[in-house]
Amino acid sequence: MRSERRTIDGGARTILVVDDSAFDREILMALLEAQGHTVHLAHNADTAWLQARVVRPDLILLDVYMPGTDGYEVCEGLKSEAATRDIPVIFISAADDGAAKVQAFKSGGVDYITKPFYSEEVAARVSNHLAFHDLQRCLEERVRERSADLAAANLRLQKLTTHREAVREEERKRIAGELHDELGSSLTALKMDLSLLAMELGCAGEAQRRLAQMRELLEHTIGTVRQVATSLRPSVLNLGLVPALEWLVQDFQRRTGVACSLAADSEVSLEDALATAIFRIVQESLTNVVRHAEARRVDIVLACDGGVLELSVRDDGRGFDPAAVGGSSFGLLNIRERVRMLGGEAEVESRPGMGCRVGIRIPLPG
């Protein structure tokens, strides 16, 4: 297999000459071999197609008018096949009218030389088109290399982002556990001790009022700690995704007064990392509804179909133009990034006054 890399120096190449005139074939072969090129000959369309597929020349000199299939059809056939599509074709013909030249370029030719030809002209045009083709292939190779580098960099970035999210969720889980188990338990114990102390002292008046204030402050602090721990990672996630979403829906309705329904496949059972990611996506979607939608109702649907997890979050709010919002919505960007890390697809359907639907499809492991 020949290397795709070429030096742009006009060096020796392989050239196919297609002409029904034996005299012209011999003249062109002598001219091109004198330049150091390897020359293959064909006298009709069938031979030309065969030679082009087998030899894979760097350039083809093609006569227009030949018995049977003409040069235009030969060129169109070459350009229709992936193996020969990129080979430059220079037409060489006795026809000197403009229509013949236009047809040659329409069929895929890169140049047109009129017979009788001048050797210096043929040599110059062949060298120029070989050099141009070499440059084109060199640029294409560089584009492929850069594209491969970019794809590899994106893959590394995706892995780093996924790892960062995993570490972040693990840290949230750890902090939430410590807040609930350590700080929460200590505050609860302190509240009980304070109540016992008030009973033992039997104090009244100002002292009793202050003890009551201290108990109230402790209760408020305990509630705050629980709220912070829950926002970091709801403990109900340990029971599975569906129970966690049911809790999220209830909490959303309680806090916002917006009606919210959940239709979830009871058989949805995911590993912890994926379940947490889906929970965060729904959480982010509901946050967007509160901030922007002015909705009265939200419907969430979660199901598994053919090894694909499908999630839909639809609201009846004021909607928006997705094209106009573009990349300015950090909430939508965050959702898309989470879905991309999971190898899925996210779509946003919305129109002003028509609500919004966020649809997600994520392939399940295995």
Side-chain angles (χ1 to χ4, degrees):
M1 180 178 179
R2 294 178 303 174
S3 172
E4 290 294 329
R5 290 186 176 276
R6 300 299 184 92
T7 57
I8 308 172
D9 57 4
R13 299 291 187 267
T14 300
I15 299 176
L16 174 62
V17 176
V18 185
D19 200 311
D20 64 329
S21 169
F23 177 76
D24 288 340
R25 291 199 303 271
E26 294 299 326
I27 292 294
L28 290 170
M29 183 172 68
L31 168 63
L32 297 170
E33 286 182 341
Q35 289 186 295
H37 301 302
T38 299
V39 181
H40 294 263
L41 303 176
H43 65 280
N44 59 26
D46 293 336
T47 309
W49 278 322
L50 179 61
Q51 291 271 43
R53 294 188 185 100
V54 175
V55 176
R56 300 285 296 280
D58 298 292
L59 183 141
I60 297 175
L61 286 173
L62 178 60
D63 188 18
V64 173
Y65 299 112
M66 298 179 292
T69 305
D70 62 24
Y72 301 137
E73 291 184 60
V74 172
C75 188
E76 291 172 355
L78 293 171
K79 297 304 175 182
S80 67
E81 296 185 14
T84 56
R85 181 181 301 145
D86 297 329
I87 302 174
V89 176
I90 299 177
F91 282 95
I92 185 163
S93 173
D96 194 23
D97 58 287
K101 295 179 181 179
V102 170
Q103 183 63 28
F105 288 116
K106 283 185 175 180
S107 63
V110 297
D111 206 344
Y112 192 99
I113 300 174
T114 304
K115 295 179 182 179
F117 50 80
Y118 295 96
S119 299
E120 293 80 1
E121 179 188 4
V122 174
R125 295 200 183 204
V126 166
S127 296
N128 287 341
H129 283 291
L130 285 172
F132 178 78
H133 192 53
D134 286 346
L135 176 61
Q136 186 179 27
R137 283 193 287 195
C138 183
L139 291 175
E140 289 173 353
E141 178 65 18
R142 290 188 179 182
V143 169
R144 283 193 292 270
E145 290 176 352
R146 295 297 174 86
S147 298
D149 291 342
L150 181 60
N154 285 336
L155 181 59
R156 290 195 296 271
L157 179 59
Q158 182 175 346
K159 288 182 178 180
L160 287 172
T161 305
T162 303
H163 177 69
R164 180 201 65 188
E165 287 300 318
V167 171
R168 179 183 295 178
E169 287 296 339
E170 190 62 30
E171 186 65 10
R172 283 176 174 172
K173 184 177 181 180
R174 184 188 65 80
I175 294 174
E178 290 185 358
L179 285 174
H180 182 274
D181 298 338
E182 299 295 332
L183 184 57
S185 298
S186 298
L187 289 173
T188 301
L190 183 58
K191 175 186 174 183
M192 294 176 62
D193 289 343
L194 186 62
S195 298
L196 291 173
L197 179 62
M199 292 175 60
E200 291 178 358
L201 293 177
C203 52
E206 182 64 19
Q208 185 67 32
R209 186 181 65 81
R210 294 212 173 183
L211 286 172
Q213 289 178 343
M214 293 172 65
R215 284 197 302 269
E216 184 178 347
L217 179 59
L218 276 173
E219 288 177 356
H220 177 74
T221 304
I222 291 171
T224 301
V225 168
R226 288 175 178 171
Q227 183 178 353
V228 171
T230 301
S231 64
L232 283 171
R233 178 184 168 83
S235 57
V236 71
L237 260 173
N238 297 326
L239 302 178
L241 177 59
V242 175
L245 291 179
E246 291 173 345
W247 170 86
L248 183 63
V249 165
Q250 293 174 1
D251 182 67
F252 174 79
Q253 292 185 120
R254 178 183 58 79
R255 289 185 295 102
T256 65
V258 177
C260 187
S261 70
L262 172 67
D265 189 340
S266 60
E267 296 182 0
V268 174
S269 179
L270 308 176
E271 61 178 6
D272 183 69
L274 182 55
T276 302
I278 300 300
F279 178 86
R280 295 299 183 195
I281 290 172
V282 177
Q283 193 176 46
E284 185 72 42
S285 299
L286 293 178
T287 300
N288 288 340
V289 171
V290 173
R291 290 177 177 174
H292 309 294
E294 299 179 1
R296 293 174 298 176
R297 181 175 180 82
V298 182
D299 295 302
I300 304 170
V301 178
L302 179 72
C304 288
D305 182 18
V308 176
L309 183 72
E310 296 184 349
L311 171 68
S312 172
V313 181
R314 185 189 298 272
D315 68 71
D316 63 353
R318 59 181 183 178
F320 59 93
D321 181 1
V325 172
S328 61
S329 172
F330 290 106
L332 291 178
L333 285 174
N334 190 33
I335 290 173
R336 285 195 172 100
E337 178 62 20
R338 286 184 181 275
V339 174
R340 187 185 66 84
M341 288 190 299
L342 296 172
E345 300 174 349
E347 62 177 2
V348 178
E349 301 172 357
S350 182
R351 284 190 298 169
M354 300 297 291
C356 175
R357 174 184 174 275
V358 177
I360 291 165
R361 288 174 55 87
I362 298 174
L364 296 177

